[in-house]
């Protein structure tokens, strides 16, 4: 029997193009995946249902879900491995297998992935994962809205529009019409984090994108993301990514 595949590092995403062999195979892993079809077609069977990746179509593979898979003679998909605590994405949309249509805006991330070929370094993976998820975020959170009785899409949009300042649970609950304690519980269930922890992840994911612009000073990035000063930003960034933002930028 196949073993559960471990992550190479617990909280880092992995982004790479992959092809599936035509011979059927299967496995289980302890992280979620989002597969974006690039070429040909691959089929995945999960919980007795068949899902397909092909051009402009993708599939979500939940953590711990056995998936049997096989591909056409020529096939390729951009695979994004998402361990818990990596890229900020509502956990509700990763809880069950789903097939989705890819928006045309994803072409930039796909082309970048293909140009880089196999995974090079963790900075590359983080940037690609954040860009891929942020581009399809609207679509995927719409899907999550159907899965839970909670306005996931509107909350996600609100938080992304207010990354420049902390937003309290009381403000969020008032904004969306819930009592604070109930809102907190529902948020944790849908997003897989407390409101404060999820906001912190959103801000640092955005920092990874902003650091790719060499013209932006670290102090300006810190200010845009609502940190009290550059030192606070550097401390939070270093805790999450293992490198201070300046070193992260210079080594990417």
């Amino acid at each position: 029997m196949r073993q559960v595949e471990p992550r190479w590092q617990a909280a880092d995403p992995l982004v790479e193009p992959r092809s599936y062999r035509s011979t059927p195979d299967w496995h289980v892993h302890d992280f979620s995946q989002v597969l974006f079809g690039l070429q040909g077609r691959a089929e995945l069977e999960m919980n007795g249902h068949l899902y397909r990746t092909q051009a402009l179509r993708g599939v979500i593979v939940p953590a711990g879900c056995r998936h049997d898979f096989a591909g056409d003679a020529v096939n390729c998909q951009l695979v994004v491995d998402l361990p818990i605590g990596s890229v900020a994405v509502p956990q509700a949309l990763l809880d069950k297998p789903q097939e989705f249509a890819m928006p045309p805006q994803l072409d930039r991330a796909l082309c970048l992935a293909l140009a880089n070929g196999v995974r090079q370094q963790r900075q590359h993976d983080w940037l690609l994962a954040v860009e891929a998820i942020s581009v399809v975020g609207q679509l995927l959170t719409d899907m999550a809205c159907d899965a839970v009785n909670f306005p996931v899409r509107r909350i996600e949009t609100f938080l992304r529009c207010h990354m420049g300042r902390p937003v309290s649970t009381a403000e969020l609950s008032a904004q969306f019409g819930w009592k604070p304690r109930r809102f907190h519980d529902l948020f944790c269930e849908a997003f897989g984090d407390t409101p404060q922890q999820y906001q912190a992840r959103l801000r640092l994911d955005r920092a990874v994108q902003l650091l790719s612009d060499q013209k932006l000073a670290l102090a300006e990035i810190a200010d845009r993301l609502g940190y009290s000063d550059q030192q606070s930003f550097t401390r939070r960034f270093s805790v999450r990514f293992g490198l201070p933002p300046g070193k992260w930028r210079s080594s990417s």
Side-chain angles (χ1 to χ4, degrees), residues 7-14 81-87 122 125-126 240-241 248:
R7 280 292 307 150
W8 62 279
Q9 186 165 331
D12 285 348
L14 175 64
D81 293 348
L82 294 170
I84 293 174
S86 58
V87 177
R122 64 196 299 257
D125 281 349
W126 270 104
R240 184 172 181 194
F241 297 110
W248 177 280

Side-chain angles (χ1 to χ4, degrees), residues 12 122 126 204-205 208 236-243 248:
D12 285 348
R122 64 196 299 257
W126 270 104
L204 290 173
D205 283 355
V208 168
R236 298 292 180 87
F237 190 96
S238 300
V239 167
R240 184 172 181 194
F241 297 110
L243 288 174
W248 177 280

Side-chain angles (χ1 to χ4, degrees), residues 20 40 57-58 78-79 129-130 145 149 164 171 192 206 218 224 250:
Y20 291 137
R57 292 202 70 82
L78 178 67
V79 179
V130 169
C145 274
N149 186 25
E171 179 182 348
R206 180 59 179 155
L218 297 183
R224 284 193 187 188
S250 64

